[in-house]
Amino acid sequence: MLAQLDTRVMAVIKKTGLSVVLSALMIIGVAYKAQANPDLTAEELIKAKGLFFNRCAGCHGTLRKGATGPNITDAKLKEKNYDTNIIKAFITNGTGGGMPTWGEYLSADDIDLLARFLQNPPPAPPEMSLAEMKESWRLIVPEAQRPKKPEHSRNYQNFFGIVLRDAGKVAIIDGDTKEIVNVVDTGFAVHILRTSASGRYFYSIGRDGKATMIDLWMKTPDKVAEVKTCFDARSIDSSKYNGKKGNFLDKLAIVGCYWPPHFVVLDGQTLEPKKVVSTRSYSYDTNEYIPEARVAAIISAHKEPEWIINVKEAGYIWAIDYSDLKNLKITQIETERFLHDGGWDASKRYIMMAANMKNKMVIVDSETKKQIAQIETGQKPHPGRGANWTDPEFGPVSATPHLGEGLVAVYGSDPKGHPKNAWKVVRKIETLGGGGLFVKTHPKAEHVWVDHTLNPDDKIKRSVCAFEKNHPNEKPKCFQVADHGRVVHLEYNKTGTEVWVAVWDKAGEIIIFDDKTLKEKSRIKADWLVTPTGHFNVYNTMTDTY
Ligand code: DHE
């Protein structure tokens, strides 16, 4: 395909090496205001807005000012002299930095339309008030009508919730028996699941901002509430604190939105929206106003009544004290721009988040609520929640894979016990190539596993690597596990003996490996297993075990 491009286009691609990760978004139903434009008919404009929102906004931002992907405002494209042909070439061929080859997914007409759309000013999408959220709120099974104890004898803490992305469903699988327990209709393009603190409920969040709650105690676990919190979202979590400042177990939930950029506090039992707070703010460095300061990852504290949220474009981590919603206390911690994903260290004191466009992990001490370190790890760290274990030489460590290179960077994360190694890269473990999205381990596991989901090579994107915690100098064992789709995300069972990986394809699969032997134990294939992506074990999610 590249050979068909003219030399000018190729030169631009080589020179800029634009590094963008666009994911295959499928959000629908975003009601933009129609806006006349000299280059597009009204009908084309509506279509282009949908295409951009569904495919591109996740990385470039709805206002196109850039985040995981670069700034692609009309002004920036003009400044770079990018015309329709050049923009079409980028979209069609992607970039080495992780932008997919959209030519594989979009028609030539759609790419042409997007290229013309991008040369026009971005239209502003609508806002959403708490009243509108409340209108969408549906309490399907009120608390009084829910079971008082589990209505089944299954080990629900070892259930797996599997996102069936394009089907808009979540499958609940019994991790002990590998039987399907139910497939629940959750709505379009679910992104992730988290659990309530007790593990009784799964909360899902869709890219369309719809949050759903599934009761795992029901004879057949099913949806008990849902609410639309915004038009574009990626994160959700629950309140996990129980201590002197109150018992918040299963009491509250929080959704983090991309558009409008805000977070919403929900009742943890009913999903009734209680409070919305805008994250539009000023960047930590230049103090310029960022109208699209989006909420990326959220983690829930166990030792304080707090949620930690990444305000991506502003470069702040906010620690939100949810113990008094009427007098909300937020500590805004300066870190680095374009915060994306991350998690806790093993002690759950340190917050470790990727500022992936800066090639850094930023470290915040949740006790002092201050940034204590930044670590240059490699080209675009993307840890998911990350992985924590004890290295035989360096003590407690944490790790991240990278989108831009085949590398797991292992860094010390125990400043008290191993101050010399803390927040320094102590090992670099080579994988098969870039496009790595997730790394995972478990305190009882022998290995650390990593994927290569966004690698352009068919073999590599379908391969995983595993290395031994106790023999980190040995080369990781890498193997292809599927012959179709992309292999994505890793999750352990409750006891840390099995690793589950998903084959992200229309006819998807879940493959289960023995962590000790690395041998395949079983493979789930079924007609309901449509585009499985993230998969979440109840126990590990409620306890933040990774
Ligand atoms: Fe995700 C986590 C955002 C693309 C699967 N993803 C996250 C988080 C964020 C995020 C902010 C952290 C949530 C948290 O912890 O609270 N993801 C984005 C994007 O902006 C991006 C790059 C592009 C987009 O437009 O959405 C994107 N993500 C993808 C995918 O293409 C994946 C592979 C499949 C899909 O669903 O579209 C995908 N993201 C996941 C998964 C997690 C996740 C499975 C949770 C990892 C975990 O172990 O907790």
Side-chain angles (χ1 to χ4, degrees):
M1 201 184 293
L2 279 171
Q4 292 161 6
L5 294 170
D6 70 34
T7 45
R8 191 166 63 117
V9 170
M10 284 302 295
V12 172
I13 289 180
K14 279 199 186 120
K15 198 170 134 208
T16 60
L18 278 185
S19 46
V20 188
V21 181
L22 294 183
S23 77
L25 296 189
M26 300 284 287
I27 300 163
I28 51 167
V30 175
Y32 288 99
K33 278 179 257 149
Q35 182 179 299
N37 189 288
D39 294 316
L40 305 170
T41 65
E43 207 177 305
E44 279 181 325
L45 184 62
I46 289 167
K47 184 166 185 205
K49 282 186 288 195
L51 277 172
F52 182 81
F53 200 82
N54 295 338
R55 305 277 176 167
C56 321
C59 289
H60 295 277
T62 304
L63 302 180
R64 306 185 202 148
K65 288 183 193 289
T68 301
N71 178 324
I72 51 165
T73 53
D74 51 314
K76 187 55 106 187
L77 297 177
K78 267 192 203 103
E79 188 188 307
K80 291 188 162 180
N81 276 328
Y82 287 177
D83 61 13
T84 307
N85 279 338
I86 294 176
I87 300 167
K88 272 162 63 176
F90 274 118
I91 301 172
T92 307
N93 300 294
T95 69
M99 172 155 155
T101 46
W102 286 109
E104 285 178 46
Y105 308 97
L106 297 174
S107 69
D109 284 351
D110 284 352
I111 291 173
D112 179 72
L113 180 60
L114 268 175
R116 287 185 287 129
F117 173 69
L118 289 177
Q119 292 169 78
N120 289 282
E127 302 297 320
M128 191 187 272
S129 66
L130 197 75
E132 284 167 88
M133 293 173 212
K134 279 193 175 161
E135 262 171 47
S136 75
W137 174 48
R138 215 157 66 87
L139 183 58
I140 301 158
V141 184
E143 288 166 82
Q145 290 165 27
R146 293 183 204 156
K148 303 285 171 274
K149 55 183 183 12
E151 289 177 336
H152 52 73
S153 55
R154 292 180 187 272
N155 173 14
Y156 74 90
Q157 287 199 348
N158 197 31
F159 280 180
F160 282 74
I162 317 256
V163 170
L164 305 175
R165 191 187 185 286
D166 295 355
K169 295 184 176 169
V170 168
I172 313 289
I173 298 186
D174 181 329
D176 289 357
T177 63
K178 320 291 186 268
E179 286 164 345
I180 179 77
V181 179
N182 199 11
V183 178
V184 181
D185 232 319
T186 44
F188 204 77
V190 176
H191 196 66
I192 63 164
L193 301 178
R194 301 290 181 216
T195 65
S196 66
S198 71
R200 170 178 180 169
Y201 297 109
F202 259 136
Y203 300 114
S204 75
I205 186 70
R207 282 161 186 272
D208 57 359
K210 188 163 144 196
T212 304
M213 183 175 173
I214 299 168
D215 185 356
L216 299 177
W217 281 9
M218 288 162 84
K219 191 159 186 245
T220 305
D222 213 338
K223 201 162 57 171
V224 291
E226 63 184 19
V227 64
K228 189 162 165 77
T229 53
C230 51
F231 297 110
D232 192 6
R234 296 293 180 282
S235 49
I236 189 161
D237 215 329
S238 59
S239 52
K240 293 185 174 171
Y241 175 81
N242 181 11
K244 279 192 202 134
K245 295 177 190 168
N247 177 357
F248 292 93
L249 301 183
D250 291 12
K251 294 276 164 52
L252 298 170
I254 177 174
V255 171
C257 290
Y258 270 12
W259 194 275
H262 62 210
F263 69 82
V264 185
V265 180
L266 306 170
D267 184 299
Q269 291 288 328
T270 64
L271 294 190
E272 182 182 5
K274 291 171 90 82
K275 193 173 186 86
V276 55
V277 178
S278 174
T279 49
R280 288 187 167 111
S281 48
Y282 290 79
S283 62
Y284 87 94
D285 46 4
T286 56
N287 285 295
E288 72 196 279
Y289 179 59
I290 313 278
E292 192 175 6
R294 303 179 291 177
V295 180
I298 300 178
I299 56 175
S300 184
H302 296 249
K303 298 175 186 171
E304 287 292 331
E306 266 177 1
W307 291 303
I308 313 296
I309 70 166
N310 286 346
V311 184
K312 193 191 251 294
E313 285 79 2
Y316 278 97
I317 288 178
W318 288 11
I320 303 161
D321 178 342
Y322 54 68
S323 62
D324 181 0
L325 288 182
K326 283 208 180 303
N327 304 285
L328 200 66
K329 271 189 276 178
I330 302 179
T331 309
Q332 303 186 346
I333 304 158
E334 287 189 10
T335 58
E336 187 50 281
R337 285 223 217 186
F338 308 122
L339 295 164
H340 193 69
D341 52 352
W344 291 107
D345 78 305
S347 74
K348 297 195 173 64
R349 171 168 177 177
Y350 302 104
I351 298 153
M352 308 179 299
M353 295 291 179
N356 56 16
M357 283 304 274
K358 300 282 181 183
N359 301 330
K360 284 177 181 168
M361 293 296 297
V362 303
I363 314 296
V364 165
D365 181 346
S366 68
E367 276 183 30
T368 60
K369 302 207 196 331
K370 287 188 177 144
Q371 177 179 256
I372 51 166
Q374 291 193 353
I375 317 169
E376 285 234 17
T377 59
Q379 230 196 318
K380 285 193 216 114
H382 189 286
R385 282 306 204 204
N388 303 308
W389 72 96
T390 301
D391 183 277
E393 198 180 331
F394 300 109
V397 291
S398 304
T400 179
H402 293 82
L403 282 162
E405 58 182 313
L407 168 73
V408 175
V410 181
Y411 53 90
S413 51
D414 177 24
K416 277 195 172 163
H418 297 78
K420 265 205 327 220
N421 308 324
W423 320 128
K424 291 190 188 97
V425 174
V426 292
R427 290 188 191 281
K428 290 184 168 187
I429 293 173
E430 213 179 301
T431 65
L432 295 177
L437 288 185
F438 302 111
V439 63
K440 200 63 72 93
T441 192
H442 184 285
K444 303 247 169 70
E446 292 188 9
H447 289 90
V448 181
W449 294 63
V450 60
D451 62 19
H452 308 82
T453 312
L454 293 186
N455 196 288
D457 182 272
D458 278 347
K459 271 196 179 146
I460 298 178
K461 73 186 183 201
R462 295 170 185 157
S463 298
V464 291
C465 295
F467 55 90
E468 266 189 81
K469 288 180 188 172
N470 287 330
H471 300 283
N473 291 319
E474 282 175 18
K475 254 187 116 180
K477 296 186 180 79
C478 299
F479 40 99
Q480 188 176 339
V481 302
D483 56 11
H484 61 106
R486 291 176 185 273
V487 168
V488 65
H489 203 229
L490 312 136
E491 175 65 303
Y492 278 84
N493 62 342
K494 182 179 175 187
T495 52
T497 54
E498 292 171 355
V499 179
W500 294 37
V501 301
V503 182
W504 177 8
D505 205 354
K506 252 194 193 124
E509 298 176 34
I510 294 289
I511 317 172
I512 301 164
F513 293 94
D514 185 311
D515 175 74
K516 209 186 215 17
T517 62
L518 310 186
K519 294 251 157 66
E520 184 176 324
K521 274 180 85 169
S522 49
R523 193 174 279 248
I524 306 175
K525 291 184 187 186
D527 52 3
W528 48 263
L529 207 43
V530 177
T531 55
T533 52
H535 37 290
F536 303 84
N537 176 270
V538 170
Y539 180 80
N540 296 338
T541 307
M542 70 190 244
T543 53
D544 286 292
T545 298
Y546 34 78

